[in-house]
Amino acid sequence: MSVAASGAIPLSEYHTLGLVVYTSRLLLPQTEEEVPELATSAQFILGEGSNILPLRDLPPILSTRYLRGYRVLQEDSSSVEVEIAAGENWDAWVRLSLAHGWYGIENLAAIPGTVGAAVVQNIGAYGVELAPFLVRVRGWNKSLEAWQELPAEACRLGYRHSIFQTPEWQDRFIITRVTLRLKKRYEPVLTYPDVLRRIDPARQHDPWHLYETIRAIRAEKLPLWGSAGSFFKNPVLSLSELKRLQQRAPDIPVYPQSDGTFKVPAAWLIDKAGLKAYRIGGAQVHPNQPLVLVNTGQATPQDMWSLAQHVRATVREIWGIELEPEVRAIG
Ligand code: EPU
């Protein structure tokens, strides 16, 4: 039977920013069959809450984190198609796939959150993103009161974006299963300078070495507790927008994209605006990775929100760039 607690339930275990907030009801389906009924009472749908900023006490929440398991749907000599329950922890899944000899997602090691949330955000790191591995998702559509299977194209994955973040789908579609196609041949992606620098050439063919290397890079930059990862997306600019920015910031690193746009690091814009380690109350711009806003221990939702607004306003004023949040503020 599902767990469906009521009262003032602390959300400390159900989001990663470590803020003191409560929910009136916590709905925790343990099987897919329990989802439709529990979903009717839920206002927000979460995985492990690694990408949310709760602004106040919240109405009923459903978390899919206890939907577990996986099964192989088909395989041949070069690839495997595997269906994973949405509540599986993403990083545990990466390790499990390596243990099976299924490759492609090593660079996405140690990203917090669930497999379902990985799709919602189209997670990406160190030159790899989830999109090319996605085959389909299955989930409960609250508006249609029906189960739906959506092929990858219908999920419209882009840079830190999917259809599941749009108003029509957000909190209305509960992803319960994700199908990925992984490779049986290990072809490491070593394009990212940080990764290339760290890889021991003698161990280039060892996927666990790449996995551990990525973990180590992340551990140096990202806090262990009290964050929701990157708080903002890296801005993607047209050529004319880039030229305008370069008049103010001639030294900014630029990453040309295949569609003719240009990605620039938000961390650079925040850093060079002098905001590294800037604090409001218990909320701080992380000193090692300024794209991350961190709860230093006693931050309130208001501290986090004010800091995010301050960073946005400062970047707008100095660089003329509007930072788009990656973290979802709820409540
Ligand atoms: N930079 C600075 N100052 C700093 C740190 C970084 O100027 O103190 C500049 C440098 O130019 C550096 C650039 O920012 O080269 C990029 O920094 P980093 O490699 O740390 O990556 P990022 O663009 O800030 C993105 C993702 C991360 C992902 C890393 C690695 C987004 C929003 N974030 O960060 O994803 O781990 O690349 O690929 O795209 C997340 O989404 O939560 C997340 C952590």
Side-chain angles (χ1 to χ4, degrees):
M1 193 42 209
S2 62
V3 182
S6 304
I9 302 149
L11 271 182
S12 48
E13 295 301 316
Y14 294 91
H15 80 294
T16 59
L17 267 167
L19 303 170
V20 180
V21 279
Y22 296 84
T23 175
S24 57
R25 197 145 182 244
L26 193 53
L27 304 147
L28 301 170
Q30 289 170 5
T31 64
E32 206 176 45
E33 293 67 44
E34 294 173 349
V35 168
E37 198 191 321
L38 295 182
T40 48
S41 338
Q43 287 211 20
F44 294 110
I45 314 296
L46 302 185
E48 293 177 13
S50 59
N51 203 44
I52 59 154
L53 165 56
L55 293 174
R56 53 177 66 87
D57 292 348
L58 296 177
I61 284 175
L62 182 148
S63 164
T64 57
R65 60 164 58 191
Y66 295 111
L67 300 176
R68 298 284 172 84
Y70 69 100
R71 62 182 178 137
V72 171
L73 297 182
Q74 46 177 302
E75 64 184 310
D76 57 29
S77 57
S78 61
S79 70
V80 59
E81 211 172 280
V82 56
E83 183 185 67
I84 312 143
E88 288 286 338
N89 173 267
W90 173 261
D91 183 49
W93 171 254
V94 175
R95 285 197 305 274
L96 190 60
S97 61
L98 289 187
H100 276 291
W102 302 333
Y103 305 117
I105 52 177
E106 305 76 33
N107 296 35
L108 305 179
I111 295 182
T114 60
V115 168
V119 177
V120 175
Q121 270 183 272
N122 184 22
I123 55 170
Y126 307 106
V128 173
E129 64 175 23
L130 182 71
F133 301 97
L134 183 67
V135 177
R136 77 182 73 81
V137 306
R138 173 183 157 87
W140 175 251
N141 189 321
K142 275 177 77 170
S143 310
L144 302 177
E145 294 196 5
W147 291 101
Q148 268 183 304
E149 285 207 347
L150 302 177
E153 311 80 73
C155 303
R156 289 202 253 121
L157 302 195
Y159 168 59
R160 291 297 191 283
H161 181 76
S162 74
I163 194 173
F164 307 111
Q165 297 171 343
T166 61
E168 216 179 296
W169 294 78
Q170 193 163 58
D171 299 315
R172 296 190 188 174
F173 190 77
I174 297 109
I175 298 176
T176 57
R177 303 186 204 179
V178 172
T179 302
L180 301 181
R181 186 178 297 114
L182 299 172
K183 293 177 286 186
K184 290 195 176 171
R185 217 175 105 147
Y186 178 53
E187 293 164 321
V189 176
L190 305 174
T191 47
Y192 213 83
D194 273 357
V195 178
L196 202 52
R197 213 174 300 127
R198 298 281 202 103
I199 286 283
D200 173 358
R203 297 185 64 196
Q204 260 206 41
H205 303 290
D206 175 1
W208 289 102
H209 175 52
L210 178 53
Y211 176 86
E212 294 299 343
T213 303
I214 300 278
R215 280 197 82 94
I217 296 170
R218 292 185 73 95
E220 271 173 24
K221 289 191 182 177
L222 300 167
L224 287 173
W225 183 88
S227 95
S230 301
F231 199 93
F232 300 101
K233 296 183 187 184
N234 285 324
V236 178
L237 307 177
S238 66
L239 181 60
S240 59
E241 288 167 334
L242 176 69
K243 285 191 164 155
R244 213 174 310 136
L245 172 63
Q246 282 175 326
Q247 285 169 6
R248 298 184 188 193
D251 302 333
I252 191 163
V254 179
Y255 305 98
Q257 305 296 294
S258 54
D259 63 358
T261 58
F262 300 88
K263 204 185 266 179
V264 294
W268 191 97
L269 298 169
I270 299 169
D271 184 354
K272 302 296 184 284
L275 289 171
K276 233 175 181 177
Y278 185 87
R279 277 180 91 119
I280 293 182
Q284 187 186 32
V285 176
H286 195 262
N288 298 344
Q289 171 41 298
L291 193 48
V292 174
L293 305 186
V294 60
N295 173 5
T296 59
Q298 304 294 323
T300 63
Q302 194 53 47
D303 292 342
M304 297 301 307
W305 178 251
S306 303
L307 184 62
Q309 295 313 312
H310 180 75
V311 169
R312 282 186 92 172
T314 308
V315 165
R316 188 186 308 125
E317 198 181 303
I318 297 183
W319 306 116
I321 295 279
E322 195 63 46
L323 287 182
E324 197 186 321
E326 207 245 323
V327 169
R328 181 182 174 208
I330 59 177

